[in-house]
């Protein structure tokens, strides 16, 4: 038997076979059920998302003699002739290869003729944006006064190139990229039908690589199947896509940690020679590190994360994520990659030094009040070399936390505390979002000590964690809100302070003393204006007052 490409073989035949695009499919089924046809439809969406397939099914169903519930019967003469591409009343045209006025004129000349066997003569024009201005004008004339028996289905990936006069005469449908899970499900089905051996990881990668286009995904599977002869391995998928495998990345990262720049740059040169795309390489590193991080968090099993540490792993992911975006507008991607690798190598190498920095700056902060000690410090040469982070004043945050402590403890209850503990546990399991990783990491060193219906108290024993959380307050509150479905005010305290304050509040509650809610608006505004670098009215007043 003649070999048939998989994407042709598994092209959907009825609306019920279509994967993804539920909204479009349901609407078109309703159009047929309720007999609400118009003369022109416009299908808009990225390549491979089903525009042409659905146009063909729609055309067939419109003409089907016994449609049922918006579906073609697949038994009548019309359906049968359609399925073997023998229906003369459905005319397909690819504007990418026929962009001339002549073709559209020919359509216009034939348009007056009644359909041969069906109710409607249906023109499917693919990539309609490729038509020339002349052709668009000819098409417009037809759309202005369409004969009763004519229907146009236009499809495009670039709707902005279509004249408004044409658009306004069409009913438009937006085709969305198909979700990875849906593509994967379809691929799995095809593999089972075709006896193709493939693992889940490979299916995932194919689905991700196809950018929401099912046709591309199936074509890729077809290509891989031909190459691997029915036994597709993850390495094959990587190779076909010019991707780098995990072992290679792990080796490369280890060389970076060991500061073996010779090996590192030899490897980069060989990637360059093989014509690898450096944006893809960044993405491969990110995917690898993300998976390793998950393995580390869930199973405590990852060589590379154990080697470079959790925080550094996140830092490297963040850097690569930014660089892969920068690369998209950069002329020389390799130079950017080289510099990034040097930067990351320094960061990995300076693991020890960075920890020292935090230590030094903390000491200096305390010692600023006693100048003679700073002088002693300056005699040590290494403190000159180590960059000192500017110390930030967190007094306003401390004040805010005092208010929130009061407001939360005034109405604290056990149920809320348990609810928040569960929410934070859930947050820790969701490491899909890069932004949240930092929060999760910080929360690892905190515990929840109290909760009320709209407040939550975290405590920690580390100044650094406290200040990092202050700096990421907004993100933390957003994460909590999306988990809980309500806004909560977050309070973070040092263990020491919490232990002192707790006793005071326990006494108050025991003595049935009323705890008044304190308004935090003022202090919150001051923090906001401090963070945006603007002065508040309060600051101006202080200046006038000469303070
Ligand atoms: Zn039929």
């Amino acid at each position: 038997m003649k070999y048939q490409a998989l994407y042709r073989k598994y092209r959907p035949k009825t609306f019920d076979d279509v994967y993804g695009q539920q909204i479009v499919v349901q609407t078109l089924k309703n159009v047929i059920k309720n007999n609400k046809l118009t003369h022109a439809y416009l299908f808009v969406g990225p390549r491979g998302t089903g525009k042409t397939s659905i146009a063909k099914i729609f055309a067939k169903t419109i003409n089907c003699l016994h449609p049922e519930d918006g579906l073609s019967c697949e038994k009548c003469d019309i359906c049968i002739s359609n399925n073997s591409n023998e229906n003369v009343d459905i005319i397909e045209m690819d504007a990418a290869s026929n962009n001339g006025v002549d073709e559209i004129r020919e359509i216009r000349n034939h348009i007056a003729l009644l359909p041969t066997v069906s109710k409607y003569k249906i023109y499917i024009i693919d990539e309609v944006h490729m038509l020339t201005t002349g052709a668009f004008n000819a098409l417009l004339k037809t759309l202005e006064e369409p004969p009763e028996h004519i229907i146009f289905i236009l499809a495009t990936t670039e709707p902005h190139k279509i004249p408004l006069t044409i658009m306004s005469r069409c009913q438009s449908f937006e085709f969305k990229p198909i979700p990875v899970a849906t593509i994967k499900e379809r691929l799995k089905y095809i593999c089972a039908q075709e006896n193709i051996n493939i693992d889940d990881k490979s299916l995932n990668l194919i689905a991700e690589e196809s950018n929401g286009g099912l046709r591309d995904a199936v074509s890729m599977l077809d290509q891989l199947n031909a190459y691997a002869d029915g036994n597709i391995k993850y390495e094959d998928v990587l190779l076909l896509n010019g991707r780098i495998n995990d072992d290679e990345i792990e080796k490369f990262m280890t060389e970076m940690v060991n500061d073996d720049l010779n090996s590192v740059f030899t490897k980069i040169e060989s990637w360059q020679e093989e014509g690898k795309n450096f944006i893809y390489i960044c993405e491969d590193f990110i995917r690898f590190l993300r998976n390793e991080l998950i393995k580390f968090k869930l199973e405590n099993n990852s060589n590379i994360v154990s080697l470079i540490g959790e925080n550094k792993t996140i830092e490297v992911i963040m850097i690569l994520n930014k660089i892969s975006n920068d690369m998209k507008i950069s002329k020389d991607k390799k130079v950017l990659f080289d510099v990034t690798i040097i930067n990351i190598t320094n960061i990995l190498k300076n693991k020890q030094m960075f920890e020292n920095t935090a230590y030094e700056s903390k000491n200096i902060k305390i010692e600023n009040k006693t100048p003679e000690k700073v002088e002693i410090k300056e005699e040590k040469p290494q403190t000159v070399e180590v960059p000192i982070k500017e110390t930030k004043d967190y007094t306003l945050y401390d004040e805010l936390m005092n208010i929130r402590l009061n407001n939360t403890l005034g109405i604290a209850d056990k149920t809320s505390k348990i609810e928040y503990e569960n929410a934070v546990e859930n947050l820790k399991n969701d490491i899909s979002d890069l932004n949240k990783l930092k929060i999760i990491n910080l929360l690892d060193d905190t515990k929840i000590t109290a909760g009320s219906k709209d407040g939550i108290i975290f405590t920690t024993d580390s100044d650094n964690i406290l200040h990092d959380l202050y700096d990421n307050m907004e993100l933390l509150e957003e994460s909590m809100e999306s988990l809980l479905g309500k806004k909560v005010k977050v309070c973070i305290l040092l263990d020491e302070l919490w232990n002192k304050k707790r006793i005071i509040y326990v006494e108050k509650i025991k003595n049935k003393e009323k705890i008044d809610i304190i308004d935090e608006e003022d202090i919150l505004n001051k923090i906001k204006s401090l963070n945006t670098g603007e002065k508040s009215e309060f600051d101006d007043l202080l200046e006038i007052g000469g303070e």
Side-chain angles (χ1 to χ4, degrees), residues 26 67-68 80 140 276 283 300 378 408 486 502 519:
Q26 191 53 50
E68 266 174 64
I80 290 167
L140 183 61
K276 294 251 194 291
E283 288 173 5
N300 201 10
E378 275 169 1
T408 305
K486 65 174 182 184
R502 196 180 69 99
D519 188 56

Side-chain angles (χ1 to χ4, degrees), residues 24 50 52 73 137 143 160 163 207 213 229 238 282 304 307 317 480 500 512 521 526 532 538:
V24 174
T52 317
C73 75
N137 285 337
L143 291 179
H160 55 278
D229 205 16
L238 290 169
C282 285
I304 199 74
L307 185 65
I317 292 177
M480 293 305 293
K500 280 185 202 153
K512 303 244 158 60
E521 191 86 5
K526 275 189 230 165
T532 51
F538 183 75

Side-chain angles (χ1 to χ4, degrees), residues 356-394:
N356 285 344
T357 311
Y359 177 69
E360 293 290 348
S361 60
K362 202 169 139 190
N363 275 359
I364 286 169
K365 190 183 166 192
I366 300 161
E367 285 159 7
N368 270 345
K369 288 169 193 159
T370 48
E372 66 280 2
K373 273 195 180 170
V374 174
E375 271 175 37
I376 297 165
K377 270 239 165 282
E378 275 169 1
E379 282 166 18
K380 289 183 183 174
Q382 72 266 31
T383 54
V384 181
E385 281 172 33
V386 175
I388 295 166
K389 268 200 243 164
E390 218 179 304
T391 49
K392 194 170 156 184
D393 185 3
Y394 289 104

Side-chain angles (χ1 to χ4, degrees), residues 113-335:
L113 303 173
L114 289 172
T116 317
V117 287
S118 324
K119 265 181 286 179
Y120 293 95
K121 204 177 216 173
I122 301 171
Y123 289 92
I124 299 173
I125 307 181
D126 227 347
E127 301 296 345
V128 68
H129 61 271
M130 301 286 278
L131 292 179
T132 59
T133 315
F136 269 129
N137 285 337
L139 179 63
L140 183 61
K141 288 214 174 70
T142 316
L143 291 179
E144 276 167 346
E145 285 168 27
E148 266 308 301
H149 59 271
I150 293 290
I151 291 174
F152 280 98
I153 306 173
L154 314 174
T156 183
T157 47
E158 297 180 56
H160 55 278
K161 290 187 181 161
I162 297 175
L164 283 176
T165 45
I166 301 267
M167 293 260 272
S168 64
R169 284 179 169 77
C170 298
Q171 191 180 349
S172 288
F173 287 86
E174 199 189 333
F175 284 61
K176 297 254 182 334
I178 302 169
V180 168
T182 310
I183 294 181
K184 201 175 142 189
E185 195 188 326
R186 184 64 177 162
L187 293 175
K188 223 176 192 164
Y189 171 81
I190 295 175
C191 288
Q193 295 296 311
E194 297 289 320
N195 288 321
I196 299 171
N197 277 324
I198 186 166
D199 62 15
D200 212 56
K201 201 173 155 192
S202 308
L203 285 174
N204 231 354
L205 185 58
I206 299 175
E208 279 170 12
E209 285 292 318
S210 56
N211 293 319
L214 184 56
R215 188 183 59 215
D216 285 355
V218 177
S219 295
M220 201 189 295
L221 180 71
D222 209 352
Q223 233 178 315
L224 282 162
N225 187 35
Y227 170 77
D229 205 16
N231 266 312
I232 301 172
K233 289 184 206 68
Y234 186 62
E235 274 64 37
D236 302 333
V237 188
L238 290 169
L239 190 72
L240 181 81
N241 288 292
R243 298 289 186 170
I244 299 170
N245 72 44
D246 291 357
D247 293 342
E248 209 175 335
I249 296 174
E250 185 163 354
K251 185 164 174 279
F252 187 89
M253 298 270 330
T254 312
E255 284 162 358
M256 282 166 80
V257 176
N258 296 335
D259 202 20
D260 181 1
L261 285 180
N262 245 329
S263 306
V264 163
F265 280 98
T266 311
K267 192 78 227 176
I268 296 178
E269 288 308 319
S270 79
W271 284 335
Q272 168 91 334
E273 274 165 32
E274 288 162 25
K276 294 251 194 291
N277 180 333
F278 283 96
I279 297 178
Y280 285 0
I281 295 179
C282 285
E283 288 173 5
D284 289 339
F285 272 75
I286 293 170
R287 181 170 36 224
F288 168 76
L289 289 172
R290 174 190 170 277
N291 291 343
E292 289 295 307
L293 200 57
I294 292 174
K295 261 163 60 186
F296 184 79
K297 295 287 267 188
L298 299 183
E299 303 157 22
N300 201 10
N301 170 27
S302 161
N303 292 337
I304 199 74
V305 180
S306 304
L307 185 65
I308 67 178
E310 214 176 315
N311 284 330
K312 292 279 173 244
T313 308
I314 294 169
E315 200 175 343
V316 173
I317 292 177
M318 294 296 196
I319 292 171
L320 288 168
N321 190 44
K322 187 185 174 300
I323 290 301
S324 71
N325 282 326
D326 291 351
M327 276 187 186
K328 284 167 192 158
I329 48 164
S330 158
K331 271 187 191 154
D332 199 335
K333 295 174 176 49
K334 182 175 170 293
V335 168

Side-chain angles (χ1 to χ4, degrees), residues 100-111 134-135 138-139 142:
V101 189
D102 291 346
E103 282 78 6
I104 297 287
R105 280 230 180 91
E106 212 175 293
I107 292 179
R108 288 196 65 203
N109 292 339
H110 288 98
I111 233 164
L139 179 63
T142 316

Side-chain angles (χ1 to χ4, degrees), residues 64-65 73-76 79:
C64 171
L65 298 175
C73 75
E74 295 299 298
K75 287 180 201 133
C76 70
C79 282

Side-chain angles (χ1 to χ4, degrees), residues 402 405-406 409 497-511 513 515:
N402 266 327
L405 173 77
N406 174 80
L409 284 185
L497 184 66
W498 161 251
N499 289 332
K500 280 185 202 153
K501 292 277 185 180
R502 196 180 69 99
I503 297 167
I504 300 172
Y505 278 91
V506 168
E507 274 305 303
K508 280 188 182 181
I509 292 164
K510 227 191 258 170
N511 300 333
E513 221 176 289
I515 301 171

